[in-house]
Amino acid sequence: MEQGILLLIATGLSWVIIGIVISRSSAKGWNLDRIQAGAALLILLGSFILFPFLAGAEAVPPSPSVVISLLFAGIANYMAFLMMNRAMKSGHNGIVWSLVQSALIWPFLMGILFFGVECTLSRICGVLLILAGILVAGLVRNGSVGGWKEWLPAALAAFALAGLSQCLANLPSYLGGGEFSSVAKAAALQLGTLVAFGVLLCLRRTRPKEKTAWMPILALAGATVIPQYFLFYRGLDLLAAQGAGAIGYPIVLGSCIAGFSLYSAFILHERVTAASAGSIFFCLVGIVIIAC
């Protein structure tokens, strides 16, 4: 179980880059549709190339339920990023980011309500502390935000879509998909992203005029591919095998918030306040408690 926890903490730290890409996309006017599709295409191609080497000679064929679950997880994740980007354009990035990350509560509840995950007091306290850290992180970057009608509906839509994506991505670990290669899981997830991109592209009457931004594509692909190939699914599978699958996403997202706070303090040299220190404290203590 300890190995699974460490793998998911490493995943959360790598996801800090994803948050930076989405935030900078809204600030610089980058086309997030193309960024997501470009990163998904790179990851999908990498999956096909690396599958014979990383899947192993005795790779288990995926069941239809696993493939469908991951396909729709990719679609929901794609739409969640678009809604988050839209909310960040007119609302405050910190508030939007914190609200969407709070979607971790859905896979936690799914494991308890439908898959017999034990609901212990320590796990409840750990999740509450991580949620507190996420909300405090939003206050760190909070300023005067007006016109909530312009960003709150999109933020709530992103919250719902992110929760759906997390539940669907967590589902294979409960459905006997633990033996299904992580490389193949990543491919199925990214295929869902490309399906969503293609459908929306066909529905749009006008084509975006922005130039393709390759640096964020590479950054998003890199921050996604390593966790999906080597860390994320393996960590979820290890926890699910121990009857603790519901704590997977709380650990990942708590690590992500703590990592972003440290990045802001030591790389961006942002002023460390009581709120920022409290955010790191709540998230890290929550991770420790939920893992006990």
Side-chain angles (χ1 to χ4, degrees):
M1 183 168 175
E2 291 79 7
Q3 182 183 0
I5 292 171
L6 290 176
L7 290 174
L8 293 179
I9 290 175
T11 299
L13 295 178
S14 69
W15 282 6
V16 171
I17 300 174
I18 297 176
I20 294 173
V21 169
I22 297 175
S23 179
R24 289 180 65 83
S25 296
S26 64
K28 291 183 173 293
W30 293 336
N31 189 300
L32 191 59
D33 301 65
R34 290 181 179 175
I35 292 173
Q36 287 197 82
L41 185 59
L42 289 177
I43 296 170
L44 190 61
L45 292 175
S47 296
F48 285 124
I49 294 172
L50 296 175
F51 183 80
F53 303 99
L54 298 180
E58 301 179 356
V60 177
S63 65
S65 60
V66 170
V67 174
I68 292 173
S69 176
L70 291 170
L71 186 70
F72 280 96
I75 294 173
N77 186 68
Y78 177 88
M79 297 303 300
F81 278 11
L82 293 186
M83 290 295 101
M84 194 190 314
N85 185 60
R86 179 180 298 181
M88 284 182 174
K89 288 181 179 178
S90 53
H92 195 284
N93 288 7
I95 297 175
V96 174
W97 180 252
S98 298
L99 177 61
V100 176
Q101 300 318 302
S102 299
L104 66 88
I105 198 67
W106 301 120
F108 176 76
L109 292 175
M110 180 186 74
I112 292 174
L113 296 176
F114 299 105
F115 296 102
V117 174
E118 185 180 0
C119 183
T120 64
L121 180 60
S122 63
R123 289 175 179 174
I124 294 175
C125 292
V127 169
L128 291 177
L129 281 170
I130 291 173
L131 286 173
I134 291 171
L135 295 176
V136 172
L139 296 177
V140 172
R141 300 180 295 276
N142 189 15
S144 58
V145 179
W148 61 268
K149 293 181 179 180
E150 298 178 1
W151 62 269
L152 187 56
L156 291 176
F159 170 78
L161 287 165
L164 176 61
S165 177
Q166 292 174 17
C167 288
L168 290 171
N170 214 359
L171 199 57
S173 295
Y174 296 110
L175 298 178
E179 299 299 325
F180 183 31
S181 166
S182 295
V183 180
K185 287 180 180 179
L189 191 69
Q190 299 309 318
L191 185 59
T193 296
L194 291 174
V195 168
F197 173 76
V199 171
L200 290 181
L201 190 64
C202 293
L203 293 177
R204 288 195 177 102
R205 296 181 179 180
T206 59
R207 296 292 182 264
K209 299 179 180 180
E210 302 94 335
K211 294 182 179 180
T212 302
W214 288 103
M215 287 303 297
I217 288 176
L218 295 174
L220 183 60
T224 304
V225 69
I226 293 178
Q228 287 192 350
Y229 281 1
F230 306 108
L231 306 175
F232 179 55
Y233 293 115
R234 178 60 177 164
L236 288 181
D237 293 340
L238 288 173
L239 291 187
Q242 297 295 322
I247 72 174
Y249 268 100
I251 290 175
V252 171
L253 297 178
S255 303
C256 181
I257 292 297
F260 191 84
S261 299
L262 293 173
Y263 168 83
S264 300
F266 293 103
I267 304 301
L268 299 180
H269 303 292
E270 292 183 349
R271 185 168 62 93
V272 178
T273 63
S276 63
S279 174
I280 297 174
F281 175 79
F282 285 137
C283 288
L284 294 181
V285 173
I287 291 170
V288 173
I289 293 178
I290 204 172
C292 293

